[in-house]
Coordinates of all heavy atoms in Angstrom, one line a residue:
G8 N -9.8 2.0 4.5 CA -9.2 2.7 5.6 C -8.9 4.1 5.4 O -8.5 4.8 6.3
G9 N -9.2 4.6 4.2 CA -8.9 6.0 3.9 C -10.0 6.9 4.5 O -11.0 6.4 5.0
G10 N -9.8 8.2 4.5 CA -10.7 9.1 5.0 C -10.1 10.5 5.2 O -9.0 10.8 4.7
L11 N -10.8 11.3 6.0 CA -10.4 12.7 6.3 C -9.8 12.7 7.7 O -10.4 12.2 8.7 CB -11.6 13.6 6.2 CG -11.4 15.1 6.6 CD1 -10.4 15.8 5.7 CD2 -12.7 15.8 6.7
V12 N -8.7 13.3 7.8 CA -8.0 13.4 9.1 C -7.3 14.7 9.2 O -6.9 15.3 8.2 CB -7.0 12.2 9.3 CG1 -5.8 12.3 8.3 CG2 -6.4 12.1 10.7
L18 N -3.9 7.3 10.3 CA -4.8 6.4 9.6 C -4.1 5.1 9.4 O -2.9 5.1 9.3 CB -5.3 7.0 8.3 CG -6.3 8.1 8.3 CD1 -6.5 8.6 6.9 CD2 -7.7 7.6 8.8
L20 N -4.3 2.0 6.6 CA -4.9 1.5 5.4 C -4.7 0.0 5.3 O -3.7 -0.6 5.8 CB -4.2 2.1 4.2 CG -4.2 3.6 4.1 CD1 -3.6 4.1 2.8 CD2 -5.6 4.2 4.3
F67 N 5.5 6.4 8.5 CA 4.7 5.4 8.0 C 5.3 4.0 8.3 O 6.6 3.9 8.3 CB 4.4 5.5 6.5 CG 3.6 6.7 6.1 CD1 3.2 7.7 7.0 CD2 3.2 6.7 4.8 CE1 2.5 8.7 6.5 CE2 2.4 7.8 4.3 CZ 2.1 8.8 5.2
M82 N -0.1 5.0 9.1 CA 0.3 6.4 8.8 C 0.1 7.3 10.0 O -1.0 7.5 10.5 CB -0.5 7.0 7.6 CG -0.4 6.1 6.3 SD -1.2 6.9 4.9 CE -2.9 6.8 5.5
L85 N 0.3 12.6 10.2 CA 0.0 13.0 8.8 C 0.1 14.5 8.5 O -0.2 15.3 9.4 CB -1.4 12.5 8.5 CG -1.5 11.0 8.2 CD1 -2.9 10.4 8.4 CD2 -1.0 10.6 6.8
K86 N 0.5 14.8 7.3 CA 0.7 16.1 6.9 C -0.2 16.4 5.6 O -0.6 15.5 4.9 CB 2.1 16.4 6.5 CG 3.1 16.1 7.6 CD 4.6 16.3 7.1 CE 5.5 16.0 8.2 NZ 6.9 16.2 7.8
P87 N -0.6 17.7 5.4 CA -1.4 18.0 4.2 C -0.8 17.5 2.9 O -1.5 17.0 2.0 CB -1.4 19.5 4.2 CG -1.3 19.9 5.7 CD -0.4 18.9 6.2
D89 N 0.5 14.7 2.4 CA 0.2 13.3 2.3 C -1.2 13.1 1.6 O -1.5 11.9 1.3 CB 0.2 12.6 3.7 CG 1.5 12.6 4.4 OD1 2.5 12.4 3.7 OD2 1.5 12.9 5.6
T90 N -1.9 14.1 1.4 CA -3.2 14.0 0.7 C -3.0 13.4 -0.7 O -2.3 13.9 -1.5 CB -3.9 15.3 0.6 OG1 -4.2 15.8 2.0 CG2 -5.2 15.2 -0.1
A91 N -3.7 12.3 -1.0 CA -3.6 11.6 -2.2 C -4.6 10.4 -2.2 O -5.1 10.1 -1.2 CB -2.2 11.1 -2.5
V92 N -4.7 9.8 -3.4 CA -5.3 8.5 -3.5 C -4.2 7.5 -3.3 O -3.2 7.5 -4.0 CB -6.0 8.3 -4.9 CG1 -6.6 6.9 -5.0 CG2 -7.1 9.4 -5.0
Y93 N -4.4 6.6 -2.4 CA -3.4 5.6 -2.1 C -3.8 4.3 -2.8 O -5.0 3.8 -2.6 CB -3.3 5.4 -0.6 CG -2.5 6.5 0.0 CD1 -3.0 7.8 0.2 CD2 -1.2 6.3 0.5 CE1 -2.3 8.8 0.7 CE2 -0.5 7.3 1.1 CZ -1.0 8.6 1.2 OH -0.3 9.6 1.8
T114 N -7.8 4.3 -2.4 CA -8.6 4.8 -1.3 C -8.1 6.2 -1.0 O -6.9 6.5 -1.0 CB -8.5 3.9 -0.1 OG1 -9.4 4.5 1.0 CG2 -7.1 3.9 0.5
Q115 N -9.1 7.2 -0.9 CA -8.7 8.6 -0.7 C -8.3 8.9 0.7 O -9.0 8.5 1.7 CB -9.9 9.5 -1.1 CG -9.7 11.0 -0.9 CD -8.8 11.5 -1.9 OE1 -8.9 11.3 -3.1 NE2 -7.8 12.3 -1.4
V116 N -7.2 9.6 0.9 CA -6.7 10.1 2.1 C -6.6 11.6 2.0 O -5.9 12.1 1.1 CB -5.3 9.5 2.5 CG1 -4.7 10.2 3.8 CG2 -5.4 8.0 2.8
T117 N -7.3 12.3 2.9 CA -7.3 13.7 2.9 C -6.9 14.2 4.2 O -7.5 13.9 5.3 CB -8.7 14.3 2.5 OG1 -9.1 13.8 1.2 CG2 -8.6 15.8 2.5
V118 N -5.8 15.0 4.3 CA -5.3 15.6 5.5 C -5.5 17.1 5.5 O -4.9 17.8 4.7 CB -3.8 15.3 5.7 CG1 -3.3 15.8 7.0 CG2 -3.5 13.8 5.6

Side-chain angles (χ1 to χ4, degrees):
L11 175 64
V12 66
L18 285 173
L20 307 183
F67 291 9
M82 304 184 294
L85 283 160
K86 303 176 180 180
D89 296 318
T90 296
V92 177
Y93 284 70
T114 185
Q115 176 72 48
V116 172
T117 302
V118 185

